[in-house]
Amino acid sequence: MMVLLPRLQIIAISGSIFFILLLLYLIRKQRIKEEYSLLWLFFGFIFLLFSIWRDGLDYLAGIVGIAYPPAALFMLFILAFFFILIEFSVIISRLSDRNKNLTQEVAIQKSELKELKKMIKR
């Protein structure tokens, strides 16, 4: 017996699979690092799960206490982007600190090089 899926569910499953495949392609082509893509992949699989499991959104909405199940989907989107933005903020902060340290090291090396050149000229 063949089960027919509603058109919206087919679109949601296709979109989730496309999103996951796009992420895997970007990782493979080294356009995005694995460590930065973990949250994207995690939420991609969460959205795929809710695309396949039709009553999942109703179940999640019931647990959280949301009366309108599609609002739970927006909550998931907001939560996903919230965590991803926090991850990027941490990464940017770390890179900013590394950049500052690198700049200081270069300045110190330039100063030492100037001193060495002065000593050689004497």
Side-chain angles (χ1 to χ4, degrees), residues 2 17 37 51 60-61 76 83-84 88 94 97 99 106 109 115:
M2 191 168 122
I17 291 172
S37 64
S51 297
L60 176 68
L76 278 175
F83 280 122
I84 290 167
F88 286 155
R94 187 179 337 124
D97 288 342
N99 195 20
V106 168
Q109 288 180 351
E115 292 297 321

Side-chain angles (χ1 to χ4, degrees), residues 40 43 47 75-87:
W40 285 109
F43 282 109
F47 292 128
M75 182 193 70
L76 278 175
F77 278 126
I78 291 169
L79 187 66
F81 287 118
F82 180 72
F83 280 122
I84 290 167
L85 286 174
I86 288 175
E87 180 187 23

Side-chain angles (χ1 to χ4, degrees), residues 69-117:
L73 185 62
F74 288 113
M75 182 193 70
L76 278 175
F77 278 126
I78 291 169
L79 187 66
F81 287 118
F82 180 72
F83 280 122
I84 290 167
L85 286 174
I86 288 175
E87 180 187 23
F88 286 155
S89 295
V90 168
I91 291 166
I92 289 171
S93 297
R94 187 179 337 124
L95 289 175
S96 176
D97 288 342
R98 286 182 183 174
N99 195 20
K100 181 184 75 171
N101 291 339
L102 184 61
T103 303
Q104 290 172 346
E105 288 177 19
V106 168
I108 290 170
Q109 288 180 351
K110 277 186 174 182
S111 174
E112 289 174 352
L113 185 60
K114 269 186 181 178
E115 292 297 321
L116 284 173
K117 284 182 179 180

